[in-house]
Amino acid sequence: MAKAKKSKQLSFALPNRVGLLSKVSTVISDAKVNMQAICAYGMGKKAYFMVVTDKNAQAKKALGKLKKNIPEEDVIAVEMPNRAGALQKVAQKIADAGIDIIYMYGTAGTGKSSICVFKTVDDNKAIRAINK
């Protein structure tokens, strides 16, 4: 069964260059912060990052070396079983509640559970629908 909760992610953009992901992840790990989820991609001359950590304040302070203003955004972190159909069930609950998903990203790995991060047009309603 999936379990949804409110979470915060750090969202920022930097000039895209070779080695940037290594630099960002080094800055975060050197601050003794664990990344729980990350979405990173390059588009043209910019690189975009969405990061959920266990210590956002420390991560923001450390990332200040690379970018001054790093906003926190509300998102939904959903822990679900790592098996076929788990994401479909969560997505269907959100759809049945009439909620539009703006974006999502996630990881499964080889463990028993996976984590997906969602941003919707109504995160509170989506959390209630998922946790029903």
Side-chain angles (χ1 to χ4, degrees):
M1 175 181 235
K3 178 70 176 152
K5 66 179 182 177
K6 284 185 177 186
S7 193
K8 297 275 188 183
Q9 76 179 7
L10 305 177
S11 297
F12 56 97
L14 295 167
N16 198 9
R17 65 180 193 273
V18 172
L20 184 58
L21 178 60
S22 175
K23 180 68 175 170
V24 168
S25 59
T26 296
V27 166
I28 292 172
S29 68
D30 285 352
K32 306 293 187 241
V33 174
N34 183 35
M35 287 186 282
Q36 297 169 326
I38 183 169
C39 175
Y41 60 95
M43 189 176 294
K45 295 181 186 235
K46 291 277 190 181
Y48 298 91
F49 294 85
M50 295 177 283
V51 184
V52 177
T53 78
D54 64 344
K55 300 174 194 159
N56 278 356
Q58 284 178 235
K60 286 172 73 168
K61 184 177 178 183
L63 288 165
K65 301 171 192 173
L66 303 176
K67 179 154 178 93
K68 295 300 175 212
N69 183 24
I70 299 178
E72 282 185 283
E73 297 177 329
D74 291 328
V75 291
I76 304 167
V78 182
E79 185 173 357
M80 63 187 79
N82 184 10
R83 64 175 176 253
L87 176 59
Q88 183 278 326
K89 289 176 184 174
V90 170
Q92 190 63 58
K93 286 181 176 187
I94 296 170
D96 289 348
I99 302 164
D100 189 24
I101 298 170
I102 299 169
Y103 61 82
M104 69 82 54
Y105 57 96
T107 183
T110 58
K112 293 183 180 187
S113 65
S114 61
I115 300 289
C116 289
V117 176
F118 290 84
K119 180 63 185 165
T120 71
V121 296
D122 190 337
D123 289 344
N124 290 327
K125 186 176 177 183
I127 289 170
R128 288 191 303 272
I130 295 165
N131 289 339
K132 257 184 171 174

